[in-house]
Amino acid sequence: MPAATQTTRFDDVTLEGEGLSLRPFTDADLDAIAEACADEETQRWLPLPRTYSRDDARWFVQTFAVAQRDSGAGLVRAIEVDGRLAGAIDLKKTNWTARTTETGYWASPWVRGRGVTTAAVRLLASWALTDQGLERVELLTAMGNTGSERVADKAGFQREGIARNAGVIHAGRVDLTVWSLVPADLIPTPDEAAAEPGRR
Ligand SMILES: CC(C)(COP(=O)(O)OP(=O)(O)OC[C@H]1O[C@@H](n2cnc3c(N)ncnc32)[C@H](O)[C@@H]1OP(=O)(O)O)[C@@H](O)C(=O)NCCC(=O)NCCS
């Protein structure tokens, strides 16, 4: 008889970083989500409902985020800065056999340009590769999304190439740049280690 399939899931954690935390969403976040997801720049790069409503935010928190974790497919976290919702970040399309996952994110307009998304990506991806035993975190940026490319690069991801015609945004189909972070990328270079002796 075949062995029963075991669903592997991410730990339901809150991760603390410098000046930010990654925590589960709650209903108290609904208005802030609706506002950030209606923002023009967010709408430009993510295929979210066009008129993003509080009901869309409720579905995201109460249905999507819960299903992602329960099914083992991923983990959705709120980025919190100074007690305020600063964005969303997730892991998705996780393959527990191949030990691969993908990350995605948006930042609330008020926090942009302060390095918060870069820090959040590095924190969540490092955790996935260390605590959760994964071997590869993928990140896909739509062609022309300079801000997201900067985040990927500054968070230590390596640019691998182009997935042609692989993405969909409101403007239509787009090529995606494929980035990845693997455990070897987390080992500090000798210069980094010398600058920060406490680091592994
Ligand atoms: C892309 C996005 C997440 C960046 O968030 P952020 O919190 O501003 O990012 P950071 O502050 O960590 O920025 C990292 C770097 O990118 C640069 N950057 C951010 N937005 C930029 C933009 N629109 N154009 C050029 N550079 C940008 C920052 O200046 C910083 O570089 P620096 O440290 O050399 O100055 C945010 O603009 C956003 O939510 N966009 C809409 C949704 C989206 O594109 N999601 C990603 C889909 S793949």
Side-chain angles (χ1 to χ4, degrees):
M1 214 165 101
T5 342
Q6 194 193 341
T7 306
T8 310
R9 296 190 299 184
F10 285 107
D11 294 339
D12 198 9
V13 290
T14 291
L15 298 173
E16 300 291 344
E18 221 168 287
L20 65 90
S21 64
L22 305 183
R23 57 151 178 87
F25 275 101
T26 73
D27 287 356
D29 297 313
L30 295 183
D31 287 332
I33 296 169
E35 192 182 334
C37 289
D39 166 72
E40 204 179 306
E41 189 69 5
T42 314
Q43 284 280 332
R44 181 174 176 204
W45 296 114
L46 296 174
L48 298 167
R50 260 289 188 213
T51 336
Y52 199 96
S53 68
R54 202 168 189 277
D55 281 347
D56 293 318
R58 182 176 292 108
W59 173 85
F60 176 66
V61 171
Q62 296 181 356
T63 305
F64 178 75
V66 173
Q68 283 293 101
R69 177 162 185 277
D70 286 352
S71 67
L75 187 72
V76 179
R77 297 290 92 160
I79 305 171
E80 184 175 306
V81 173
D82 297 337
R84 200 172 161 194
L85 184 72
I89 183 163
D90 69 354
L91 298 171
K92 57 194 163 203
K93 299 179 188 166
T94 308
N95 181 329
W96 291 99
T97 305
R99 297 207 203 167
T100 59
T101 191
E102 181 187 324
T103 189
Y105 42 79
W106 50 258
S108 305
W110 68 269
V111 86
R112 289 181 188 159
R114 288 166 42 172
V116 166
T117 306
T118 301
V121 170
R122 182 75 183 183
L123 180 61
L124 187 64
S126 304
W127 173 78
L129 296 177
T130 53
D131 286 55
Q132 304 296 286
L134 294 181
E135 290 290 335
R136 173 182 166 88
V137 180
E138 197 164 283
L139 198 167
L140 303 170
T141 56
M143 205 55 64
N145 192 348
T146 315
S148 195
E149 288 180 351
R150 290 288 295 142
V151 168
D153 187 42
K154 293 199 82 172
F157 283 63
Q158 299 290 312
R159 185 193 295 257
E160 295 183 335
I162 305 298
R164 293 181 308 150
N165 206 28
V168 183
I169 56 178
H170 288 302
R173 296 204 69 88
V174 282
D175 292 350
L176 298 176
T177 303
V178 181
W179 305 76
S180 70
L181 190 78
V182 302
D185 299 327
L186 299 178
I187 298 167
T189 62
D191 282 354
E192 286 169 341
E196 242 182 289
R199 245 170 94 176
R200 180 164 71 89

